[in-house]
Amino acid sequence: MKPFISIFLLFLIGLAGVTSAQTTLKAGDKAPGFISKDQNGKTVSLKQFKGKKVVLYFYPKDNSSGCTAQACSLRDNISELKKQGYTILGVSTDDEASHRGFIEKHALPFSLIADTDKSIHKKYGVWTEKERNGVKAFSTTRTTFVITKSGFISKVITEIDTKNHAGQILSLKR
């Protein structure tokens, strides 16, 4: 019986370092609060957007092809997104300077949040372990959370069409 207990304890200790493969947050859940810095070093918190609909989108890397397509889709449709009452916030693990350069290069009309310590990613369950060519590593799972004026998640989009991401959001029932 003792070997079984030892194996079980080792299993539990191993679980402490495991991150879920995908967010467990779903529509109806309270959106986790956060405080971080935007591209200009200004403090941003979810709390300051109470009373506004927020599109909180997590993306892997500034200036990569898919992330650029996604950001430009949002940029190109910003008027319609704003007309429907949305505030757009992007989040990646890149730092403030990288975000500033990304915004300037692509004329992005919304804030990007620096999550270099990955704390927001972890709260939202999008910092996940993936395997590529037999190598396991943690990275961002591209995910968008649509958050209501009262701070609840109304939609989680996990199948992101980077070139038409704004269309995915605009097609949601209000």
Side-chain angles (χ1 to χ4, degrees):
M1 187 68 161
K2 286 186 181 186
F4 172 77
I5 292 171
S6 297
I7 292 170
F8 182 71
L9 287 174
L10 287 173
F11 173 74
L12 288 177
I13 291 167
L15 281 180
V18 174
T19 301
S20 66
Q22 187 84 15
T23 183
T24 57
L25 293 173
K26 61 190 178 312
D29 289 347
K30 181 81 172 151
F34 62 82
I35 298 173
S36 194
K37 302 281 184 179
D38 71 5
Q39 68 279 355
N40 298 314
K42 180 180 170 193
T43 299
V44 178
S45 72
L46 184 60
K47 196 181 269 189
Q48 76 190 66
F49 296 97
K50 188 171 173 99
K52 297 180 181 182
K53 294 191 298 186
V54 175
V55 171
L56 186 67
Y57 81 98
F58 290 83
Y59 65 98
K61 189 90 179 120
D62 290 341
N63 291 304
S64 63
S65 60
C67 297
T68 298
Q70 184 178 15
C72 290
S73 171
L74 296 167
R75 176 202 65 202
D76 294 347
N77 293 279
I78 196 70
S79 294
E80 188 60 32
L81 289 161
K82 283 184 176 182
K83 189 188 298 183
Q84 288 195 20
Y86 292 112
T87 297
I88 310 297
L89 296 173
V91 184
S92 84
T93 59
D94 293 312
D95 63 20
E96 297 163 27
S98 178
H99 284 338
R100 206 168 29 260
F102 188 39
I103 285 172
E104 290 169 4
K105 182 175 182 179
H106 299 287
L108 302 179
F110 46 83
S111 290
L112 298 177
I113 299 170
D115 187 27
T116 57
D117 69 357
K118 300 157 191 76
S119 62
I120 304 170
H121 279 67
K122 290 174 183 176
K123 284 183 178 186
Y124 280 80
V126 299
W127 186 247
T128 58
E129 186 175 39
K130 299 172 187 172
E131 186 172 335
R132 184 179 210 175
N133 300 326
V135 177
K136 291 183 180 183
F138 282 86
S139 64
T140 303
T141 298
R142 189 184 307 273
T143 309
T144 296
F145 296 88
V146 180
I147 302 171
T148 66
K149 292 178 180 183
S150 56
F152 287 87
I153 297 168
S154 64
K155 180 73 175 170
V156 179
I157 305 171
T158 57
E159 299 294 324
I160 307 294
D161 177 352
T162 57
K163 292 180 182 174
N164 184 38
H165 193 46
Q168 289 180 289
I169 296 162
L170 292 168
S171 70
L172 298 174
K173 293 178 183 169
R174 292 185 231 181

